[in-house]
């Protein structure tokens, strides 16, 4: 079979190198074909792999013996009932698990959330609704497992209310005791599970896209153009970045081998000469806006999307290169951008950022969050997350990130929530020999993490046990040791004393 017979929509094995530098032949789909100087190149998406691994390949890397041609076009009814047609390809409908990244993600535990339900509280055996819950030991200290099992809690299993105290005590092993659900107890079947779009089970957001973000969720734009990377390389200061995803930079810039960006104002140019000419005129050595935090070489700048519209839009264009589940939204007026920088003798260099709505009806304290690739895996992601919650503490609110989270974002938030909550639980002290007690509300108030995220994290860590009418949080040695090792590696932390931030009442339009 010749390469001229390969068309868009075909699927076949493609040679690539994995993380261990070994050859493998994963199944891939041909998204586009182009001809450069008489040589054909094929843009491929590896099935079940993250889109950031998509690339242009030559004919030599294709296994033509196992090619699958797309199905013939057939008229099919569309969602609105009108006739339509689209080209199909083998196994076009990818299962939910295949839409995640190639790396396996932890599966959130399904739980039923109960908030302020006094009638159901009365049904809990062992006491009155306001009576603190304590527990007899349900430990098996002689057993220790090498793996932590994640239990799925059925809707009939009692789940802690945010006002019900839970006993916290250590456990010598990591064994868990299954407790049968109490019969006859009525429960609201509001289970939260993994969602294909949100990748998180910590809230019950609708699946419909929200159009309120600077970068917002919208799967309807997922056509052949936006599925392909359009920028080859970006030069930002001393770094050259390889974009992961499509970003709507001007069409004439997409054919350039390198796109040059000013690292201080983020304006883009088509050549190094254009950038050098721009630098002679650009007097910025830090992001525009107010510096509200500085400790050592790390600074945070607060940027108003209305006052600094050009910078904010350029920041969104850059961020879109590394965020898949978002699409650009040019109205940056309702947003604040918090840019983290690293200082040296040449100025303040952008490390990452997060944006947040000035007014959020859903308690979102982050709309989009990104650490640039050169600074990833160095603790800056958790620092951005910690800073967002530090702002929420000053505002006197609880917050949660806007969904969907990217695969890397989800892992970072899960890790931050786990470490923060475990830090609170391990710091509790017992009074008069009794086990320490704490409520979901108290954890939420201390950390500013939304109650739903607190509960989902406790369930994810498999800490919550329900035994003889009482809620207990069991900290095994495995969890304690793992937490202590993780905290030793976490060298970058936010110092609240270095934060100079005064929240504004954005409900008054005059503040905009």
């Amino acid at each position: 079979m010749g390469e001229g017979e390969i068309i868009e929509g075909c699927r076949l094995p493609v040679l690539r190198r994995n993380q261990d530098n070994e050859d493998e032949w994963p199944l891939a789909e041909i998204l586009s074909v182009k001809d450069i100087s008489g040589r054909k190149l094929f843009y491929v998406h590896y099935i079940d792999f993250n889109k950031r691994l998509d690339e242009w390949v030559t004919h030599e890397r294709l296994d033509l013996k196992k090619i699958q041609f797309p199905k013939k076009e057939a008229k099919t009814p569309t969602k609105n009932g009108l006739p339509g047609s689209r080209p199909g390809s083998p196994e076009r409908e990818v299962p939910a698990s295949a839409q995640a990244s190639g790396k396996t993600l932890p599966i959130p535990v399904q739980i039923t959330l109960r908030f302020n339900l006094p009638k159901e509280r009365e049904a809990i055996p062992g006491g009155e609704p306001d009576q603190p819950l304590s527990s007899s030991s349900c430990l098996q200290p002689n057993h220790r497992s090498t793996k932590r099992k994640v239990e799925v809690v059925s809707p009939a299993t009692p789940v802690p209310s945010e006002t019900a105290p839970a006993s916290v005590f250590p456990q010598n092993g990591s064994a868990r005791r299954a407790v049968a659900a109490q019969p006859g107890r009525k429960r609201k079947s509001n289970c939260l599970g993994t969602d294909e779009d949100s990748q998180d089970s910590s809230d019950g957001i609708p699946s419909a896209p929200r159009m309120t973000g600077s970068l917002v969720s919208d799967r309807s734009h997922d056509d052949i153009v936006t599925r392909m990377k359009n920028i080859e390389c970006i030069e930002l200061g001393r770094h050259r970045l390889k974009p992961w995803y499509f970003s709507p930079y001007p069409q004439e810039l997409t054919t350039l081998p390198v796109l040059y960006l000013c690292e201080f104002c983020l304006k883009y140019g088509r050549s190094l000469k254009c950038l050098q000419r721009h630098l002679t005129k650009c007097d910025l050595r830090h992001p525009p806006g107010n510096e509200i935090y500085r400790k050592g070489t790390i600074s945070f700048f607060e940027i108003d999307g209305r006052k600094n519209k050009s910078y904010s839009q350029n920041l969104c264009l850059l961020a879109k290169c590394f965020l898949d589940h978002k699409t650009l939204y040019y109205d940056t007026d309702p947003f604040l951008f918090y840019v983290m920088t690293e200082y040296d003798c040449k100025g303040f260099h952008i490390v990452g950022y997060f944006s947040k709505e000035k007014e959020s009806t859903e308690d979102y304290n982050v709309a989009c969050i990104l650490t640039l690739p050169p600074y990833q895996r160095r603790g800056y992601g958790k620092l951005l997350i910690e800073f967002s919650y530090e702002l929420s503490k000053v505002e006197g609110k609880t917050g949660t990130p806007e969904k969907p989270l990217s695969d890397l974002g989800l892992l970072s938030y899960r890790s931050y929530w786990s470490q923060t909550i475990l830090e609170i639980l391990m710091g509790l002290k017992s009074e008069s020999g009794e086990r320490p007690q704490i409520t979901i509300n108290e954890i939420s108030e201390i950390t500013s993490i939304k109650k739903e995220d607190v509960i989902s994290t406790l369930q994810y860590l498999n800490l919550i046990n329900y035994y003889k009418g009482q809620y207990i949080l069991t900290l095994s040695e495995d969890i304690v040791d793992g937490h202590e090792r993780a905290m030793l590696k976490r060298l970058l932390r936010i110092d609240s004393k270095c934060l100079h931030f005064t929240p504004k009442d954005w409900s008054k339009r005059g503040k905009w």
Side-chain angles (χ1 to χ4, degrees):
M1 178 182 293
E3 61 182 59
E5 299 179 36
I6 303 174
I7 60 174
E8 296 174 4
C10 288
R11 292 191 176 191
L12 72 171
V14 177
L15 177 64
R16 69 178 296 271
R17 289 285 180 95
N18 59 21
Q19 292 180 341
D20 299 324
N21 206 28
E22 298 173 347
D23 290 346
E24 60 181 6
W25 292 84
L27 184 66
E29 180 181 355
I30 305 293
L31 298 185
S32 183
V33 182
K34 68 179 180 181
D35 195 318
I36 298 181
S37 302
R39 190 181 188 189
K40 282 198 172 183
L41 295 177
F42 305 90
Y43 191 85
V44 298
H45 165 65
Y46 299 102
I47 308 301
D48 295 351
F49 286 74
N50 193 283
K51 279 167 48 177
R52 61 174 168 264
L53 299 177
D54 295 0
E55 59 180 336
W56 290 98
V57 300
T58 58
H59 175 262
E60 291 77 20
R61 292 173 57 182
L62 307 180
D63 185 359
L64 301 179
K65 296 178 182 178
K66 300 180 180 179
I67 190 169
Q68 303 173 25
F69 287 99
K71 296 177 182 178
K72 293 182 179 180
E73 296 184 7
K75 293 186 177 181
T76 56
T78 57
K79 290 183 179 180
N80 58 8
L82 297 176
S85 63
R86 67 173 177 89
S89 62
E91 303 171 4
R92 170 69 69 177
E93 299 301 327
V94 183
S97 60
Q99 294 186 0
S101 68
K103 187 180 291 184
T104 304
L105 300 180
I107 302 176
V109 175
Q110 296 183 345
I111 61 174
T112 302
L113 302 182
R114 273 196 312 114
F115 297 141
N116 299 326
L117 301 176
K119 291 183 180 179
E120 294 186 6
R121 289 284 306 284
E122 290 171 5
I124 298 175
E128 297 298 324
D130 297 329
Q131 181 180 351
L133 301 173
S134 58
S135 175
S136 303
S137 174
C138 64
L139 307 180
Q140 298 177 10
N142 296 327
H143 298 292
R144 181 172 182 136
S145 62
T146 56
K147 285 188 177 181
R148 176 179 55 78
K149 295 182 179 179
V150 180
E151 279 185 342
V152 176
V153 181
S154 66
T157 305
V159 189
S161 162
E162 73 270 20
T163 56
S167 299
V168 182
F169 60 94
Q171 180 182 358
N172 294 332
S174 58
R176 291 286 183 267
R177 179 173 179 178
V179 181
Q182 299 293 330
R185 182 164 303 144
K186 293 183 180 179
R187 208 51 83 192
K188 211 170 186 180
S189 60
N190 181 21
C191 280
L192 299 181
T194 54
D195 181 73
E196 173 183 289
D197 198 29
S198 70
Q199 302 182 29
D200 202 339
S201 64
S202 58
D203 66 346
I205 59 171
S207 58
R210 295 177 65 253
M211 292 304 295
T212 58
S214 55
L215 291 175
V216 298
S217 168
D218 184 9
R219 292 294 182 88
S220 63
H221 76 286
D222 196 13
D223 55 26
I224 196 65
V225 175
T226 58
R227 288 181 68 188
M228 296 170 50
K229 303 172 198 174
N230 59 334
I231 302 295
E232 184 68 26
C233 180
I234 291 177
E235 183 170 305
L236 182 69
R238 61 179 179 271
H239 300 291
R240 282 206 169 185
L241 315 177
K242 295 284 287 185
W244 296 349
Y245 309 112
F246 172 88
S247 183
Y249 278 101
Q251 180 67 30
E252 61 270 17
L253 302 180
T254 60
T255 58
L256 301 174
V258 179
L259 181 62
Y260 295 89
L261 265 64
C262 172
E263 62 176 324
F264 300 115
C265 71
L266 301 184
K267 288 184 177 179
Y268 44 83
R270 59 171 50 249
S271 67
L272 180 59
K273 187 175 182 180
C274 290
L275 176 64
Q276 291 171 341
R277 185 165 60 246
H278 166 79
L279 290 176
T280 60
K281 304 173 185 177
C282 182
D283 55 359
L284 281 180
R285 288 299 174 265
H286 59 76
N290 300 321
E291 184 180 10
I292 61 174
Y293 178 91
R294 181 188 292 187
K295 184 176 182 181
T297 60
I298 300 297
S299 293
F300 279 86
F301 290 82
E302 182 184 56
I303 297 158
D304 191 324
R306 182 183 67 84
K307 295 179 181 178
N308 300 280
K309 187 169 292 188
S310 177
Y311 180 90
S312 301
Q313 291 178 349
N314 288 334
L315 179 60
C316 290
L317 282 169
L318 174 62
K320 182 61 191 73
C321 291
F322 307 100
L323 295 173
D324 181 25
H325 297 288
K326 303 285 182 176
T327 186
L328 200 61
Y329 190 60
Y330 285 97
D331 183 14
T332 59
D333 289 15
F335 287 85
L336 295 170
F337 297 82
Y338 295 90
V339 178
M340 179 168 65
T341 63
E342 201 172 50
Y343 174 77
D344 64 15
C345 59
K346 294 183 179 179
F348 294 80
H349 309 280
I350 181 171
V351 172
Y353 90 104
F354 68 89
S355 60
K356 64 184 291 187
E357 292 176 284
K358 295 174 181 176
E359 297 179 88
S360 175
T361 56
E362 296 91 349
D363 295 328
Y364 291 138
N365 63 352
V366 166
C368 294
I369 185 168
L370 172 70
T371 304
L372 291 175
Y375 299 95
Q376 290 178 0
R377 304 185 66 82
R378 290 166 57 181
Y380 289 117
K382 278 199 184 72
L383 199 67
L384 281 166
I385 296 172
E386 186 178 2
F387 189 78
S388 70
Y389 281 106
E390 201 64 42
L391 296 182
S392 295
K393 291 177 185 178
V394 176
E395 294 169 345
K397 301 175 181 177
T398 59
T400 187
E402 184 178 318
K403 312 303 184 300
L405 292 168
S406 67
D407 53 347
L408 299 179
L410 175 62
L411 291 174
S412 296
Y413 266 96
R414 281 291 187 201
S415 178
Y416 173 80
W417 289 333
S418 300
Q419 291 180 8
T420 303
I421 293 171
L422 286 172
E423 202 171 22
I424 297 295
L425 298 181
M426 292 173 62
L428 293 175
K429 296 180 180 179
S430 59
E431 298 179 1
S432 65
E434 296 182 358
R435 299 189 192 97
Q437 295 183 345
I438 193 168
T439 65
I440 300 295
N441 262 343
E442 288 171 345
I443 296 175
S444 182
E445 289 171 4
I446 293 170
T447 62
S448 283
I449 299 174
K450 203 171 182 181
K451 286 174 287 197
E452 289 86 346
D453 295 331
V454 173
I455 293 173
S456 71
T457 302
L458 292 174
Q459 290 285 349
Y460 168 73
L461 293 173
N462 202 23
L463 298 185
I464 296 180
N465 288 277
Y466 183 78
Y467 185 66
K468 291 185 178 179
Q470 297 144 349
Y471 300 103
I472 54 177
L473 301 179
T474 311
L475 300 180
S476 69
E477 287 183 358
D478 292 341
I479 290 178
V480 172
D481 292 344
H483 172 71
E484 290 175 347
R485 287 194 302 270
M487 295 307 290
L488 287 175
K489 298 178 182 177
R490 191 174 163 186
L491 304 177
L492 295 174
R493 298 298 297 269
I494 294 295
D495 186 350
S496 58
K497 297 177 183 177
C498 300
L499 176 63
H500 304 282
F501 171 70
T502 303
K504 297 180 182 179
D505 183 8
W506 294 103
S507 60
K508 300 175 181 177
R509 291 291 173 175
K511 295 277 186 180
W512 284 40

